[in-house]
């Protein structure tokens, strides 16, 4: 009897994969990963050159990404069916083999694997290997600490309504906004309304090839890649200011 092992891949740079995940990926004979239809997939790109020659790959292709409104009934129905199907297929494979599932960042931090994990309860043994989350790679790319002293860090999704973004931005010291992409204009407006735009950074493809780091206020971009994160660093009590 096998099990399902979800390995966190970190923020994108293969050198930032943990030693444990690296060892499991290289030894795997069955590997599954999420990807958009017709694309190689970000997770698969990260492990290029690491897989064994005789590995069997299982690309889990999303039935929808941005073609339907996020959160619509049809969007949720299609994705629920997709996760149901793959949970059943992976549980069947794990009856006789170990299956490694690749997950960008950390599997339990807004990761797609969470939707499989809930469906696999009682069906298969599941092991999760933590990974460095993507936002950590992004704030290190700026070279500026994200939090100081007693700063409160809030992590927001760019898919939130603008007024909800504004409310959280006004109450937090440091901010991370994920799932930016086509939500960039809305996020930028909310930051400006909150008086936080001048302190905001946009990091595209953090730690990956083509990484770009820029002040958000100085950009003229209408939208950005899916793998883009907005950061606002906290201004709390700093060591050099303490007596």
């Amino acid at each position: 009897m096998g099990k399902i092992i979800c390995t966190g891949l970190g923020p994108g740079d293969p050198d930032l994969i943990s030693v444990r995940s690296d060892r499991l990926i290289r030894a795997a004979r069955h590997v599954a990963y999420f990807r958009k239809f017709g694309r190689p997939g970000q997770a698969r790109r990260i492990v290029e050159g690491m897989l064994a020659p005789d590995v069997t790959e299982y690309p889990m292709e999303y039935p929808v990404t941005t073609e339907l409104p996020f959160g619509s009934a049809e969007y949720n129905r299609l994705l629920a069916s997709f996760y149901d199907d793959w949970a059943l297929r992976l549980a069947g494979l794990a009856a006789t083999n170990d299956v490694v599932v690749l997950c960008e960042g950390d599997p339990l931090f807004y990761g797609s694997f969470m939707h499989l994990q809930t469906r696999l309860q009682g069906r298969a043994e599941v092991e999760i290997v933590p990974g460095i989350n993507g936002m950590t790679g992004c704030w290190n790319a700026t070279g500026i600490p994200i939090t100081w002293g007693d700063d409160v860090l809030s992590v927001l999704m760019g898919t939130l309504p603008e007024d909800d973004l504004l409310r959280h931005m006004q109450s937090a010291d440091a901010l991370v906004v994920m799932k930016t992409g086509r939500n960039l204009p809305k996020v930028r407006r909310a930051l400006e309304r909150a008086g936080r735009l001048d302190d905001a950074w946009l990091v595209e493809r953090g730690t990956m090839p083509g990484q770009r780091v820029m002040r958000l206020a100085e950009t003229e971009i209408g939208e950005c890649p899916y793998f883009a994160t907005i950061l606002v660093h906290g201004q709390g009590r700093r060591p050099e200011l303490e007596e």
Side-chain angles (χ1 to χ4, degrees):
M1 183 173 180
K3 61 182 175 179
I4 296 167
I5 308 168
C6 184
T7 55
L9 300 181
D13 184 343
D15 287 342
L16 297 177
I17 297 175
S18 73
V19 173
R20 178 163 176 73
S21 285
D22 182 284
R23 183 169 61 248
L24 288 166
I25 291 165
R26 292 181 187 276
R29 292 298 176 265
H30 298 271
V31 173
Y33 48 87
F34 296 100
R35 74 181 186 186
K36 187 175 181 178
F37 180 77
R39 302 283 184 87
Q42 178 65 15
R44 180 61 178 80
R45 184 198 67 77
I46 294 171
V47 303
E48 183 62 37
M50 295 174 59
L51 301 182
D54 59 345
V55 69
T56 301
E57 300 186 33
Y58 303 89
M60 299 183 289
E61 296 186 331
Y62 293 113
V64 62
T65 49
T66 59
E67 296 84 358
L68 294 173
F70 177 79
S72 68
E74 183 64 4
Y75 179 95
N76 288 327
R77 184 190 71 79
L78 288 170
L79 280 182
S81 178
F82 164 76
Y83 290 122
D84 287 343
D85 177 60
W86 273 106
L88 185 63
R89 293 174 68 177
L90 292 175
L93 285 168
T96 54
N97 299 279
D98 285 349
V99 184
V100 170
V101 180
L102 308 177
C103 183
E104 298 110 299
D106 178 80
L108 297 187
F109 188 73
Y110 298 107
S112 293
F113 182 76
M114 295 187 298
H115 300 283
L116 293 178
Q117 182 198 24
T118 59
R119 291 165 167 82
L120 288 167
Q121 300 303 309
R123 292 180 172 181
E125 181 181 353
V126 177
E127 176 183 342
I128 297 176
V129 182
I132 300 171
N133 56 59
M135 64 180 184
T136 303
C138 289
W139 69 55
N140 275 277
T142 69
I144 306 172
I146 188 68
T147 50
W148 291 89
D150 298 327
D151 279 336
V152 174
L153 171 66
S154 292
V155 181
L156 309 177
M157 297 298 106
T159 51
L160 287 168
E162 186 173 329
D163 285 345
D164 288 349
L165 288 169
L166 174 63
R167 175 168 54 85
H168 289 293
M169 289 171 177
Q170 288 174 325
S171 63
D173 302 306
L175 294 163
V176 174
V177 185
M178 301 170 60
K179 298 185 180 178
T180 310
R182 62 181 60 186
N183 297 297
L184 179 60
K186 174 180 63 176
V187 175
R188 182 172 179 151
R189 286 194 305 270
L191 283 166
E192 189 165 20
R193 290 171 62 192
R196 312 295 301 274
L197 181 59
D198 289 342
D199 294 326
W201 292 80
L202 174 64
V203 180
E204 296 180 355
R205 302 182 181 90
T207 80
M208 307 178 210
Q211 172 183 286
R212 292 208 304 168
V213 181
M214 64 203 89
R215 287 190 174 275
L216 183 58
E218 297 173 358
T219 68
E220 299 296 334
I221 302 172
E223 62 179 70
C224 56
Y226 178 81
F227 290 99
T229 301
I230 291 174
L231 307 166
V232 179
H233 298 85
Q235 301 294 326
R237 187 181 70 253
R238 303 191 180 197
E240 65 267 24
L241 300 180
E242 296 180 357
E243 295 182 359

